[in-house]
PDB file of all heavy atoms in Angstrom:
ATOM      1  N   HIS A 683     -13.571   0.741   2.179  1.00 77.00           N
ATOM      2  CA  HIS A 683     -12.227   0.163   2.218  1.00 77.00           C
ATOM      3  C   HIS A 683     -11.225   1.074   2.920  1.00 77.00           C
ATOM      4  O   HIS A 683     -10.091   0.681   3.149  1.00 77.00           O
ATOM      5  CB  HIS A 683     -11.749  -0.173   0.811  1.00 77.00           C
ATOM      6  CG  HIS A 683     -12.640  -1.166   0.126  1.00 77.00           C
ATOM      7  ND1 HIS A 683     -12.752  -2.470   0.543  1.00 77.00           N
ATOM      8  CD2 HIS A 683     -13.494  -1.027  -0.909  1.00 77.00           C
ATOM      9  CE1 HIS A 683     -13.620  -3.104  -0.213  1.00 77.00           C
ATOM     10  NE2 HIS A 683     -14.088  -2.247  -1.097  1.00 77.00           N
ATOM     11  N   LEU A 684     -11.658   2.252   3.256  1.00 78.00           N
ATOM     12  CA  LEU A 684     -10.818   3.201   3.976  1.00 78.00           C
ATOM     13  C   LEU A 684     -10.350   2.611   5.311  1.00 78.00           C
ATOM     14  O   LEU A 684      -9.269   2.918   5.783  1.00 78.00           O
ATOM     15  CB  LEU A 684     -11.629   4.483   4.219  1.00 78.00           C
ATOM     16  CG  LEU A 684     -10.951   5.672   4.817  1.00 78.00           C
ATOM     17  CD1 LEU A 684      -9.855   6.181   3.900  1.00 78.00           C
ATOM     18  CD2 LEU A 684     -11.959   6.771   5.069  1.00 78.00           C
ATOM     19  N   LEU A 685     -11.147   1.717   5.884  1.00 82.00           N
ATOM     20  CA  LEU A 685     -10.857   1.152   7.205  1.00 82.00           C
ATOM     21  C   LEU A 685     -10.322  -0.281   7.147  1.00 82.00           C
ATOM     22  O   LEU A 685     -10.162  -0.915   8.188  1.00 82.00           O
ATOM     23  CB  LEU A 685     -12.129   1.186   8.062  1.00 82.00           C
ATOM     24  CG  LEU A 685     -12.794   2.547   8.233  1.00 82.00           C
ATOM     25  CD1 LEU A 685     -14.094   2.411   9.002  1.00 82.00           C
ATOM     26  CD2 LEU A 685     -11.869   3.522   8.920  1.00 82.00           C
ATOM     27  N   ASP A 686     -10.028  -0.779   5.961  1.00 79.00           N
ATOM     28  CA  ASP A 686      -9.605  -2.178   5.810  1.00 79.00           C
ATOM     29  C   ASP A 686      -8.372  -2.550   6.621  1.00 79.00           C
ATOM     30  O   ASP A 686      -8.254  -3.668   7.094  1.00 79.00           O
ATOM     31  CB  ASP A 686      -9.345  -2.514   4.345  1.00 79.00           C
ATOM     32  CG  ASP A 686     -10.621  -2.775   3.568  1.00 79.00           C
ATOM     33  OD1 ASP A 686     -11.700  -2.834   4.208  1.00 79.00           O
ATOM     34  OD2 ASP A 686     -10.537  -2.922   2.338  1.00 79.00           O
ATOM     35  N   HIS A 687      -7.450  -1.637   6.775  1.00 81.00           N
ATOM     36  CA  HIS A 687      -6.188  -1.960   7.454  1.00 81.00           C
ATOM     37  C   HIS A 687      -6.251  -1.778   8.973  1.00 81.00           C
ATOM     38  O   HIS A 687      -5.287  -2.075   9.663  1.00 81.00           O
ATOM     39  CB  HIS A 687      -5.069  -1.098   6.881  1.00 81.00           C
ATOM     40  CG  HIS A 687      -5.171   0.336   7.284  1.00 81.00           C
ATOM     41  ND1 HIS A 687      -6.136   1.184   6.793  1.00 81.00           N
ATOM     42  CD2 HIS A 687      -4.443   1.050   8.161  1.00 81.00           C
ATOM     43  CE1 HIS A 687      -5.987   2.373   7.340  1.00 81.00           C
ATOM     44  NE2 HIS A 687      -4.973   2.318   8.173  1.00 81.00           N
ATOM     45  N   ILE A 688      -7.375  -1.343   9.496  1.00 87.00           N
ATOM     46  CA  ILE A 688      -7.506  -1.079  10.934  1.00 87.00           C
ATOM     47  C   ILE A 688      -7.506  -2.403  11.703  1.00 87.00           C
ATOM     48  O   ILE A 688      -8.293  -3.306  11.427  1.00 87.00           O
ATOM     49  CB  ILE A 688      -8.804  -0.307  11.258  1.00 87.00           C
ATOM     50  CG1 ILE A 688      -8.871   1.006  10.490  1.00 87.00           C
ATOM     51  CG2 ILE A 688      -8.971  -0.099  12.755  1.00 87.00           C
ATOM     52  CD1 ILE A 688      -7.958   2.072  10.979  1.00 87.00           C
ATOM     53  N   MET A 689      -6.591  -2.484  12.670  1.00 91.00           N
ATOM     54  CA  MET A 689      -6.528  -3.646  13.558  1.00 91.00           C
ATOM     55  C   MET A 689      -6.980  -3.194  14.946  1.00 91.00           C
ATOM     56  O   MET A 689      -6.570  -2.138  15.426  1.00 91.00           O
ATOM     57  CB  MET A 689      -5.105  -4.195  13.623  1.00 91.00           C
ATOM     58  CG  MET A 689      -4.577  -4.675  12.277  1.00 91.00           C
ATOM     59  SD  MET A 689      -5.476  -6.074  11.617  1.00 91.00           S
ATOM     60  CE  MET A 689      -4.795  -7.399  12.577  1.00 91.00           C
ATOM     61  N   VAL A 690      -7.809  -4.005  15.576  1.00 92.00           N
ATOM     62  CA  VAL A 690      -8.399  -3.664  16.868  1.00 92.00           C
ATOM     63  C   VAL A 690      -7.990  -4.715  17.899  1.00 92.00           C
ATOM     64  O   VAL A 690      -8.056  -5.914  17.619  1.00 92.00           O
ATOM     65  CB  VAL A 690      -9.939  -3.619  16.758  1.00 92.00           C
ATOM     66  CG1 VAL A 690     -10.574  -3.262  18.089  1.00 92.00           C
ATOM     67  CG2 VAL A 690     -10.378  -2.661  15.666  1.00 92.00           C
ATOM     68  N   GLU A 691      -7.596  -4.237  19.064  1.00 91.00           N
ATOM     69  CA  GLU A 691      -7.285  -5.177  20.138  1.00 91.00           C
ATOM     70  C   GLU A 691      -8.606  -5.701  20.698  1.00 91.00           C
ATOM     71  O   GLU A 691      -9.437  -4.950  21.204  1.00 91.00           O
ATOM     72  CB  GLU A 691      -6.466  -4.516  21.236  1.00 91.00           C
ATOM     73  CG  GLU A 691      -5.986  -5.522  22.246  1.00 91.00           C
ATOM     74  CD  GLU A 691      -5.004  -4.948  23.251  1.00 91.00           C
ATOM     75  OE1 GLU A 691      -4.562  -3.805  23.084  1.00 91.00           O
ATOM     76  OE2 GLU A 691      -4.704  -5.677  24.214  1.00 91.00           O
ATOM     77  N   TYR A 692      -8.792  -7.009  20.581  1.00 90.00           N
ATOM     78  CA  TYR A 692     -10.034  -7.649  21.002  1.00 90.00           C
ATOM     79  C   TYR A 692      -9.673  -8.869  21.839  1.00 90.00           C
ATOM     80  O   TYR A 692      -9.129  -9.843  21.313  1.00 90.00           O
ATOM     81  CB  TYR A 692     -10.840  -8.044  19.749  1.00 90.00           C
ATOM     82  CG  TYR A 692     -12.186  -8.645  20.030  1.00 90.00           C
ATOM     83  CD1 TYR A 692     -13.189  -7.910  20.644  1.00 90.00           C
ATOM     84  CD2 TYR A 692     -12.460  -9.957  19.671  1.00 90.00           C
ATOM     85  CE1 TYR A 692     -14.434  -8.471  20.879  1.00 90.00           C
ATOM     86  CE2 TYR A 692     -13.698 -10.529  19.902  1.00 90.00           C
ATOM     87  CZ  TYR A 692     -14.683  -9.766  20.506  1.00 90.00           C
ATOM     88  OH  TYR A 692     -15.917 -10.321  20.757  1.00 90.00           O
ATOM     89  N   TYR A 693      -9.899  -8.772  23.122  1.00 90.00           N
ATOM     90  CA  TYR A 693      -9.527  -9.812  24.076  1.00 90.00           C
ATOM     91  C   TYR A 693      -8.050 -10.197  23.951  1.00 90.00           C
ATOM     92  O   TYR A 693      -7.691 -11.371  23.896  1.00 90.00           O
ATOM     93  CB  TYR A 693     -10.419 -11.052  23.943  1.00 90.00           C
ATOM     94  CG  TYR A 693     -11.838 -10.802  24.391  1.00 90.00           C
ATOM     95  CD1 TYR A 693     -12.870 -10.695  23.469  1.00 90.00           C
ATOM     96  CD2 TYR A 693     -12.144 -10.637  25.739  1.00 90.00           C
ATOM     97  CE1 TYR A 693     -14.175 -10.453  23.877  1.00 90.00           C
ATOM     98  CE2 TYR A 693     -13.443 -10.394  26.159  1.00 90.00           C
ATOM     99  CZ  TYR A 693     -14.461 -10.299  25.229  1.00 90.00           C
ATOM    100  OH  TYR A 693     -15.737 -10.044  25.641  1.00 90.00           O
ATOM    101  N   GLY A 694      -7.205  -9.179  23.846  1.00 90.00           N
ATOM    102  CA  GLY A 694      -5.763  -9.389  23.826  1.00 90.00           C
ATOM    103  C   GLY A 694      -5.167  -9.771  22.485  1.00 90.00           C
ATOM    104  O   GLY A 694      -3.966  -9.958  22.372  1.00 90.00           O
ATOM    105  N   VAL A 695      -5.999  -9.890  21.455  1.00 91.00           N
ATOM    106  CA  VAL A 695      -5.526 -10.279  20.126  1.00 91.00           C
ATOM    107  C   VAL A 695      -5.884  -9.163  19.137  1.00 91.00           C
ATOM    108  O   VAL A 695      -7.005  -8.668  19.139  1.00 91.00           O
ATOM    109  CB  VAL A 695      -6.195 -11.600  19.672  1.00 91.00           C
ATOM    110  CG1 VAL A 695      -5.784 -11.967  18.260  1.00 91.00           C
ATOM    111  CG2 VAL A 695      -5.882 -12.719  20.633  1.00 91.00           C
ATOM    112  N   PHE A 696      -4.917  -8.778  18.299  1.00 92.00           N
ATOM    113  CA  PHE A 696      -5.210  -7.772  17.288  1.00 92.00           C
ATOM    114  C   PHE A 696      -5.974  -8.429  16.140  1.00 92.00           C
ATOM    115  O   PHE A 696      -5.502  -9.379  15.528  1.00 92.00           O
ATOM    116  CB  PHE A 696      -3.933  -7.095  16.797  1.00 92.00           C
ATOM    117  CG  PHE A 696      -3.438  -6.065  17.769  1.00 92.00           C
ATOM    118  CD1 PHE A 696      -2.484  -6.391  18.720  1.00 92.00           C
ATOM    119  CD2 PHE A 696      -3.973  -4.780  17.770  1.00 92.00           C
ATOM    120  CE1 PHE A 696      -2.044  -5.455  19.627  1.00 92.00           C
ATOM    121  CE2 PHE A 696      -3.543  -3.836  18.678  1.00 92.00           C
ATOM    122  CZ  PHE A 696      -2.573  -4.168  19.615  1.00 92.00           C
ATOM    123  N   THR A 697      -7.173  -7.900  15.897  1.00 91.00           N
ATOM    124  CA  THR A 697      -8.115  -8.478  14.950  1.00 91.00           C
ATOM    125  C   THR A 697      -8.504  -7.424  13.919  1.00 91.00           C
ATOM    126  O   THR A 697      -8.701  -6.266  14.271  1.00 91.00           O
ATOM    127  CB  THR A 697      -9.382  -8.945  15.710  1.00 91.00           C
ATOM    128  OG1 THR A 697      -8.983  -9.765  16.815  1.00 91.00           O
ATOM    129  CG2 THR A 697     -10.325  -9.712  14.821  1.00 91.00           C
ATOM    130  N   PRO A 698      -8.632  -7.811  12.639  1.00 91.00           N
ATOM    131  CA  PRO A 698      -9.081  -6.838  11.634  1.00 91.00           C
ATOM    132  C   PRO A 698     -10.482  -6.316  11.963  1.00 91.00           C
ATOM    133  O   PRO A 698     -11.343  -7.068  12.423  1.00 91.00           O
ATOM    134  CB  PRO A 698      -9.101  -7.631  10.331  1.00 91.00           C
ATOM    135  CG  PRO A 698      -8.264  -8.831  10.585  1.00 91.00           C
ATOM    136  CD  PRO A 698      -8.334  -9.115  12.053  1.00 91.00           C
ATOM    137  N   LEU A 699     -10.692  -5.047  11.699  1.00 90.00           N
ATOM    138  CA  LEU A 699     -11.978  -4.411  11.993  1.00 90.00           C
ATOM    139  C   LEU A 699     -13.131  -5.137  11.309  1.00 90.00           C
ATOM    140  O   LEU A 699     -14.188  -5.336  11.917  1.00 90.00           O
ATOM    141  CB  LEU A 699     -11.951  -2.940  11.557  1.00 90.00           C
ATOM    142  CG  LEU A 699     -13.267  -2.176  11.669  1.00 90.00           C
ATOM    143  CD1 LEU A 699     -13.700  -2.061  13.122  1.00 90.00           C
ATOM    144  CD2 LEU A 699     -13.147  -0.803  11.053  1.00 90.00           C
TER     145      LEU A 699
END
Side-chain angles (χ1 to χ4, degrees):
H683 300 293
L684 186 63
L685 304 175
D686 281 353
H687 72 288
I688 303 287
M689 299 295 282
V690 180
E691 188 172 352
Y692 183 64
Y693 291 107
V695 176
F696 282 94
T697 309
L699 174 64

